[in-house]
Each structure stands twice: as structure tokens, then as C-alpha cells.
Amino acid sequence: MKKKLILDVDTGVDDAQAIMVALADPNVEILGITCCHGNTPLENVLKNTLRVLKVCDRLDIPVYRGCDRPLKGKRRHAGSFHGKDGLGDVPDPDAPGLELLQKKRAFSAMIKIVEENPGEVTLVATAPLTNLALAVQAEPSFPEKLKALYIMGGNTESRGNTTVCGEFNFVADPEAAYMVLERYTCNTCIATWEFTCRNSLPWSFCDTWFAQDTDKARFMSKISSHTRKMIQTERYQKELVAGPGFNSCDTYALAAAIDGTLVTEKEQVAVSVELDGSYTRGMMVLDHMGLWGERRKAVILKKFDLEKFKQMLMNALK
């Protein structure tokens, strides 16, 4: 039986890599892709998602328009990192048009898909969590019907990559992140910023990965060029938790959702999100002391089987 997934994305380069890994796995069925503000404005996210599906010859997968702004506060984007358009600023004149989008809104689509497949759907969220927050507001029982939730976001050591203490996806909509960690009662696994940094891959692998003689590999090499230059800057290297290397942040959460054996070490702990601090707004908080009593706990990923992960990445571009 295939693993049924919904992907909630803000398609920049690493989301594109995650989508392609999911598409390449014969044991995965993507029931829908919901789009959210984040790495780039929503219109770009929609276009980028369709571009990825076109390269993989999978425009049959439904794509839904989601939120274009956070629940509160100003929009944040990561144009300096992924390129202003989210895919390295290398436009495709033959990219699919937005008329291919589904009419239903993202959060409504999530609810409907899960209601039709209760207990069978894993939701993989690699964007700010605004769409997920709207889904649980509209249908409070929605999380109970999910099989699992995998999130790329948050941090465990107050190491920021957007603010002093905040990871991008959580900082881009702290209220949504807080609501999701409070109200999603399904099994929840989180690939944090520090986790992805510590499990980054050598540049030599990246060279081999992109060198495959396929249209997918050429596409990925082209859209990743800008991001690779950014990662190799002195400023970014100082942000990394563990040495230089290639970090496809979103793909870790997606890969773990597909194959749980990739996770070789994890920790279960109660978590929340700081909303009010002058320096810490959007930071994920962990209760290692058990002061929150019976508060629901999330699984924090710690270590990964990198050889298996490399093979998944290679397969995605074949």
C-alpha cells in the first residue's frame, strides 16, 4: 500500500528537491500540494511548484493556492538565499500557467483530502505553517484524522538563521507555528534547523548528484546555482552548526516521512513557540525539565542515515 502524502510548500530550491524525492519514490502517492507564502511571494511559489511538476512529468498532481501572508505581522521572504523568484532567478519561458491550479483553497483541500482518507495521510510541511493553522481553525478535528505530521522548522538551541534566535519557517508566522504545535494531536516529527545543519552532505556528493545526465539533474543544477553560492559565503558558513556542506533543509523532513528508518536518533519532548520576546519571537522552546506536565510531546529528529538519504537524492534526479 502506497504512503499517502500532502505536501505543504513554499517552493524554493530545497522544497523543489523535496518534491522531486517524493515523486521519484514508487511507494509514495502525493494526493495534493498546497502552497504558502515563505521563501518567495505566493505567486512565485505556485509557478515554481508547477515548474517542478512539469520537469517530472507529473502535472496531474493537484496544486492548491494557500495563504499569501502570515496570521499576524509582515511577510518575510528569502529572496537573497533562493533567488527573488525562489528558484535561483533562472526563469522558464515555457513554464506552466496558473490556470492549472485547483479552485479549492489550500486549507479546504487539506481537510477534504484527509476526510476522504482518514488515518492514512501524512502531512509534510516545509513552509511557514499558516495553511495548517487555518485548517485546524476551520475544522478542529482535522489533526486527529491525520496519520502523522512532519515539519521542517524551528530550532533546538536558539540558533537563528533569520533572527538571532529564530528559524525562517517559524519566524515567518510565529502564531501559526504556535497553534500547530498546540493543536495538532497526531504524531508530530520535527526536522529542526540545527538537525539539518548537522546532517549536511559534502560538496563532492552535490557535484555527483547534479552531474547525472538527465533533464531533472540539469534543472536542479541550474536552479541551485544561486543558493550554492550563498551557502558557500563566509557569512552563511558562520551560521552552520557543523562545518561546511550542502544542506537541503526541507528534504530531510520529507525523506523521514517516506522512510522512518532514516532516523537513527530522535528525542520526544514537549515544545512550544515564543510569541512575545523582543529577541526570541518565533523561537521554538523545549521543555527538557518536564515543567509542562502532560503537555503533548513532539519527536525531534537528531541523527540521519546519510547513505540512505544520498541514494534517495540520487534517485530523484534519474
Side-chain angles (χ1 to χ4, degrees):
M1 188 174 178
K2 290 190 175 185
K3 294 189 175 182
K4 297 179 179 181
L5 302 184
I6 296 173
L7 308 184
D8 188 68
V9 299
D10 58 342
T11 304
V13 174
D14 52 350
D15 300 80
Q17 292 162 351
I19 293 168
M20 293 175 82
V21 166
L23 291 172
D25 194 312
N27 297 314
V28 167
E29 181 182 4
I30 301 176
L31 301 181
I33 301 178
T34 53
C35 296
C36 186
H37 69 94
N39 284 324
T40 187
L42 180 62
E43 294 301 303
N44 290 339
V45 173
L46 296 164
K47 293 173 186 175
N48 294 348
T49 303
L50 293 171
R51 282 181 68 184
V52 174
L53 293 178
K54 179 188 175 186
V55 168
C56 298
D57 195 24
R58 289 302 311 272
L59 283 170
D60 58 296
I61 294 175
V63 178
Y64 301 90
R65 178 187 293 272
C67 299
D68 67 353
R69 66 193 67 202
L71 298 179
K72 288 179 62 177
K74 297 180 179 179
R75 298 180 181 92
R76 286 181 180 268
H77 302 305
S80 62
F81 189 74
H82 291 286
K84 291 181 180 179
D85 72 352
L87 289 187
D89 294 325
V90 283
D92 176 5
D94 299 317
L98 297 186
E99 70 276 1
L100 296 178
L101 296 174
Q102 303 297 307
K103 302 304 181 185
K104 190 177 289 290
R105 289 193 64 191
F107 77 90
S108 296
M110 286 181 179
I111 293 168
K112 184 174 188 296
I113 291 169
V114 171
E115 285 181 344
E116 292 173 348
N117 302 272
E120 297 180 4
V121 179
T122 296
L123 174 53
V124 182
T126 60
L129 298 174
T130 318
N131 289 336
L132 280 70
L134 290 190
V136 74
Q137 283 183 318
E139 179 48 73
S141 68
F142 171 69
E144 300 168 14
K145 299 170 186 174
L146 283 170
K147 181 178 181 180
L149 169 62
Y150 282 75
I151 296 170
M152 190 281 131
N155 47 8
T156 52
E157 301 165 14
S158 74
R159 298 183 71 118
N161 62 11
T162 302
T163 60
V164 172
C165 296
E167 177 276 331
F168 177 81
N169 283 341
F170 279 27
V171 168
D173 195 340
E175 278 73 23
Y178 178 88
M179 188 181 302
V180 169
L181 294 185
E182 285 283 317
R183 298 178 63 180
Y184 274 65
T185 53
C186 57
N187 177 40
T188 299
C189 301
I190 304 176
T192 66
W193 166 241
E194 294 95 339
F195 162 76
T196 64
C197 289
R198 288 202 172 96
N199 289 277
S200 60
L201 300 170
W203 289 114
S204 57
F205 166 77
C206 194
D207 293 336
T208 302
W209 187 37
F210 291 163
Q212 296 179 87
D213 187 18
T214 66
D215 289 340
K216 293 177 185 178
R218 283 184 282 274
F219 170 76
M220 187 55 65
S221 178
K222 183 168 61 173
I223 68 170
S224 300
S225 178
H226 175 87
T227 302
R228 179 168 181 167
K229 289 176 184 175
M230 288 300 301
I231 292 175
Q232 292 176 316
T233 62
E234 182 179 354
R235 174 186 174 275
Y236 187 85
Q237 291 303 310
K238 288 179 180 178
E239 291 180 5
L240 291 175
V241 178
F246 166 68
N247 179 1
S248 181
C249 298
D250 294 338
T251 316
Y252 294 90
L254 184 281
I258 292 176
D259 183 358
T261 67
L262 283 161
V263 181
T264 59
E265 186 179 328
K266 58 191 177 183
E267 175 185 20
Q268 195 166 36
V269 62
V271 295
S272 189
V273 178
E274 174 60 51
L275 297 181
D276 299 320
S278 299
Y279 298 110
T280 57
R281 176 169 159 78
M283 184 181 81
M284 190 166 79
V285 182
L286 289 76
D287 176 25
H288 289 293
M289 296 176 65
L291 299 180
W292 294 339
E294 296 302 312
R295 186 191 186 100
R296 190 181 65 84
K297 296 181 178 180
V299 173
I300 308 298
L301 308 188
K302 305 279 279 189
K303 292 183 181 178
F304 228 44
D305 185 330
L306 294 181
E307 292 309 310
K308 276 189 179 181
F309 185 50
K310 287 178 186 176
Q311 192 57 56
M312 293 178 81
L313 292 171
M314 292 296 291
N315 291 342
L317 301 187
K318 286 184 177 177

